[in-house]
Structures are given as structure tokens and as C-alpha cells.
Amino acid sequence: MANSSLRTADRILDAAEELFAAKGFEGSSMSEIADRVEIRAPSLYKHYESKEKIYEAVLARLFEPFFATLDQFIAAGFSARSGREQLEQTMQHLANHPNLPRLIQMQALTGGEQLEKLLVTLYRPLFRKATRLMPSGSDAGGWSPAQLRLLIMGINNMLIGYFTMAPIHREVLGKDPLSKSAIREQTDFLVAVTRKLWMQ
């Protein structure tokens, strides 16, 4: 029974993740989530007390691996090798969870209370951790701390945008940008870009 309940909770999060990525928090309803899971709407409340709690659980499930990975890299200290590994793991996580960049972009476009929650509880802490991974002093390639923060934002946009713009890139490039070979090619490109920027 416990396993069945766990499976239902996971199915709720799977369905909610798809909806939040496609329609945003405000545009998604509990009844739509229930329909996708094929349960009655009141049954959702046995697992999550509100749509807000479902949203928080979806975000936590998507972001927590990022935090764990960043903590490992922070503990090891910055190096060109760790920078490459970080990019590789980030690209792979986004490839495995393409709804994450879509959800971020959707919430950024629609705004609202959930955007502030996303910023305060997840995105700002993520950026603070990323900042700690940046090179400093002579390793920073002449960039000031303020410019390095802008570089983090730029690389974040390259990472997120690669996945959110995948349908357009598919048509422009004539290949699937989410294929393993395309993900590998984009990862190598990002590594080359970051090395030219500061890993020389």
C-alpha cells in the first residue's frame, strides 16, 4: 500500500511537472493534474495539501541534484577539469529533465508569487553556489567579480536557452538538438567557450 501511494505521488509530480512547464503555475489546475494521473481531484489532497505544495515538490525534485553536485564541486575547489565536469553534469541533468528549463522560462514569463518563491528558495541559492565555483585572482582571466557574475548569467542563459529553444533549433539545424550526439557537441562547445573566457 505504501509503495502504491508512493507511485501515485510520483505520478502526480510527473503530471504537474509537465503542466507547469507547458502552462505555468497559474495556468495549471488541480483538476488538470488529477485528469492526467487518472484520479479524482479530491484524491490529490491525500498526497499534497495544495497546488503550491505540489509546485514546491516539483521544484525540489528538479533542483536538489543541482545543489548536491555544486556542493561536491565547491568542496573540491575550482579547476579547468572540474569546470568541464560541472558543465557535463549540468547538461546531462537538463537533458534528462527537459521540463526544468521550460518550467523556469515559463515562470519567468508569467511572474507572480511562484516566481518569487522560485527565486528565493532555489535560483538565488543556486547562483550563490555557482559564484563560489568561479575562478578568482589571476585565474579569472582579467574579469572583475561583477563581470564574472554576468558571465554566470550568460552561461545559464546558454544552458537554459538550448533546451527551451530546442523546437526551433531542430528546424534551423536540421537535427535533433536533444539527441546524445547533439548534447555532447553542445557540451564541448560550452567547455570551449568557458575556457576561452577564463580557463586559459
Side-chain angles (χ1 to χ4, degrees), residues 86-162:
Q86 181 190 345
L87 283 170
E88 288 175 340
Q89 291 191 27
T90 299
M91 280 293 290
Q92 193 56 56
H93 183 71
L94 294 174
N96 292 340
H97 305 280
N99 283 327
L100 174 55
R102 296 182 192 123
L103 191 152
I104 291 170
Q105 181 171 320
M106 179 59 69
Q107 205 59 55
L109 292 171
T110 57
E113 181 182 332
Q114 299 309 315
L115 175 59
E116 183 62 23
K117 189 177 295 184
L118 176 64
L119 287 169
V120 170
T121 63
L122 296 168
Y123 227 69
R124 284 180 187 146
L126 186 66
F127 266 73
R128 281 196 296 271
K129 287 177 182 288
T131 300
R132 292 176 61 190
L133 283 169
M134 298 297 283
S136 60
S138 61
D139 292 329
W143 299 106
S144 70
Q147 289 172 326
L148 284 173
R149 287 193 292 273
L150 292 174
L151 278 175
I152 292 175
M153 292 173 62
I155 292 168
N156 174 72
N157 290 339
M158 292 174 74
L159 287 162
I160 297 298
Y162 182 81

Side-chain angles (χ1 to χ4, degrees), residues 140-141 143 151 155 192-200:
W143 299 106
L151 278 175
I155 292 168
V193 167
T194 55
R195 282 183 174 165
K196 285 181 183 296
L197 288 172
W198 71 73
M199 292 183 187
Q200 306 270 9

